[in-house]
Amino acid sequence: MKLKTREQSDVMIVELSGKIMGGPESVQFHDTIKQAIGANRKRVVIDLGEVEWMNSSGIGLLVSAYTTLKNAGCDLKLARTTDKIQSLLVITKLNSVFDSHSSVDGAIQSFN
Amino acid sequence: MNRIVRTEHLNIPSSIDQIEKVDSLVETLAASLGFGHDALADIGICVTELVMNAIVHAHKEDAEIPVDIDILCCDDGLRISVRDYGPGFETNHVPDPTSPERLFDDHGRGILIVKTMMDDVKCTRLDDGMKIEIFKKLNESSK
Ligand SMILES: Nc1ncnc2c1ncn2[C@@H]1O[C@H](COP(=O)(O)OP(=O)(O)O)[C@@H](O)[C@H]1O
Ligand SMILES: [Mg+2]
C-alpha cells in the first residue's frame, strides 16, 4: 500500500494505492487520520481509485477511519471505490455505512 | 481431484513481512494457470487473510514457528492449503462481523470474506494446529 495526502477546497484527500493487505503500513494510515483531526480538517475524502485490492485489513482501516473521524466531529467520504472494494463492503454489510462517490470532486461537493 | 499441473510449497517464518512474498508467488502461479484480473484479486485477498491469521492468531508472530503453504495448480482451478501449529479454532463459530454490535469493529471479517469469495473452503482442526484449504475454480467467469 502507498499513501499520499493532499488538500483541495479545504478537504483533506487521502490517496491510497496498491494492495492493502495489513502490516506496518496501517500505522501510517492511522497517523494520517489523527493528523487530519489534529489539524482541524473537518472533512476527509479517501480516494480508493488506485487500490488494486484490499483484504479485511483494508476494510478495518476504512471502518476505523470512519469511527475515529465521526467521534471527532469530522466527516468522511469515499471516492472512486472500485467494484472489488464495493463487493467487500456488501459482503461485510458496510455498504450503507459509507458515502461513496464516483469522483473525488463529487465527494468534495457532497459535503456542502 | 483433477489433474495437477504444478505444485509449490512455501515454509515461512511467522513474520508479517512475509505476506507480500506469499501473495506474489500465489498470484504469479494463478495468472499462469489462466485466472483473470478479478479472480487474481480474490485469490490474493484470501491467501493473505489465511496466512495473516496463521502468523498473528495461531503463532502470535513468533518467527520460530513456521507456516506451511501448499499451492496446487490443477486443470480445474487453484487449490491452496495454509497449515499452522497454533491452538486451532472453530471456523463455524467465528462471531458474525455483520451483526449490529460488531459492524464497526476494525477486525473479524477475514473468514467471512474467504468463505464468500472462494468456491470451496475446508477447515480441519489437527492435533497440533489448523489446516485451511481453499479452492478457486477456473472457468469462463474467472479467466
Ligand atoms: N489460524 C488461526 N488460529 C487460531 N485462531 C484463528 C485462526 N484464524 C482465525 N482465528 C480466530 O478467528 C477469528 C476471526 O478471524 P478473521 O475472520 O480472520 O478476523 P480477524 O483476523 O480480523 O480477527 C480471529 O479473531 C481468531 O480468534
Ligand atoms: Mg484475519
Side-chain angles (χ1 to χ4, degrees):
Chain A
M1 174 183 104
K2 283 207 180 68
L3 184 155
K4 277 199 292 189
T5 60
R6 64 187 176 88
E7 297 270 328
Q8 188 179 328
S9 320
D10 216 27
V11 176
M12 182 172 187
I13 322 283
V14 183
E15 300 172 345
L16 301 180
S17 60
K19 297 172 179 176
I20 307 178
M21 55 177 95
E25 54 207 36
S26 309
V27 177
Q28 193 195 355
F29 179 82
H30 291 301
D31 287 348
T32 304
I33 298 300
K34 277 185 219 141
Q35 272 164 29
I37 294 167
N40 213 14
R41 287 278 162 274
K42 288 280 171 223
R43 302 180 292 188
V44 176
V45 171
I46 301 180
D47 179 2
L48 298 165
E50 303 304 319
V51 175
E52 203 174 329
W53 52 252
M54 62 168 60
N55 66 13
S56 69
S57 312
I59 301 294
L61 292 184
L62 297 182
V63 175
S64 99
Y66 173 85
T67 17
T68 310
L69 288 165
K70 197 175 180 186
N71 291 340
C74 308
D75 210 359
L76 171 71
K77 311 271 180 184
L78 303 182
R80 304 202 297 150
T81 310
T82 62
D83 289 350
K84 188 56 73 183
I85 297 173
Q86 185 58 30
S87 74
L88 288 175
L89 293 176
V90 170
I91 292 169
T92 56
K93 300 202 179 147
L94 287 162
N95 50 319
S96 57
V97 169
F98 292 101
D99 189 17
S100 299
H101 296 265
S102 54
S103 72
V104 172
D105 287 340
I108 291 172
Q109 274 154 28
S110 75
F111 285 115
N112 305 311
Chain B
M1 196 184 295
N2 289 269
R3 199 172 66 86
I4 298 171
V5 181
R6 182 174 173 186
T7 67
E8 290 287 339
H9 177 77
L10 274 175
N11 176 274
I12 57 156
S14 291
S15 165
I16 290 173
D17 57 23
Q18 297 289 313
I19 205 89
E20 285 190 30
K21 182 180 86 179
V22 175
D23 168 60
S24 133
L25 174 69
V26 168
E27 284 198 52
T28 303
L29 291 171
S32 66
L33 202 54
F35 282 105
H37 191 257
D38 206 48
L40 288 177
D42 294 352
I43 291 164
I45 289 169
C46 294
V47 78
T48 55
E49 293 290 355
L50 296 179
V51 176
M52 273 295 248
N53 279 354
I55 292 171
V56 174
H57 299 304
H59 302 155
K60 313 281 178 224
E61 294 181 58
D62 179 348
E64 301 286 303
I65 314 176
V67 180
D68 284 302
I69 303 149
D70 281 298
I71 307 149
L72 268 67
C73 301
C74 307
D75 56 7
D76 66 335
L78 186 71
R79 291 177 172 80
I80 302 169
S81 85
V82 178
R83 199 259 198 252
D84 69 54
Y85 300 86
F89 70 113
E90 289 304 324
T91 38
N92 290 324
H93 296 119
V94 173
D96 177 9
T98 67
S99 69
E101 63 272 25
R102 295 203 177 77
L103 194 62
F104 293 95
D105 284 5
D106 66 357
H107 63 277
R109 301 180 179 86
I111 299 291
L112 169 69
I113 290 172
V114 173
K115 285 186 172 172
T116 313
M117 284 188 152
M118 292 292 110
D119 292 303
D120 191 35
V121 181
K122 193 172 149 221
C123 305
T124 315
R125 225 175 157 159
L126 307 164
D127 289 341
D128 60 345
M130 196 77 204
K131 182 165 153 180
I132 303 188
E133 294 158 280
I134 54 177
F135 172 60
K136 184 77 177 173
K137 207 184 288 174
L138 185 64
N139 56 23
E140 281 317 308
S141 71
S142 65
K143 273 182 187 165

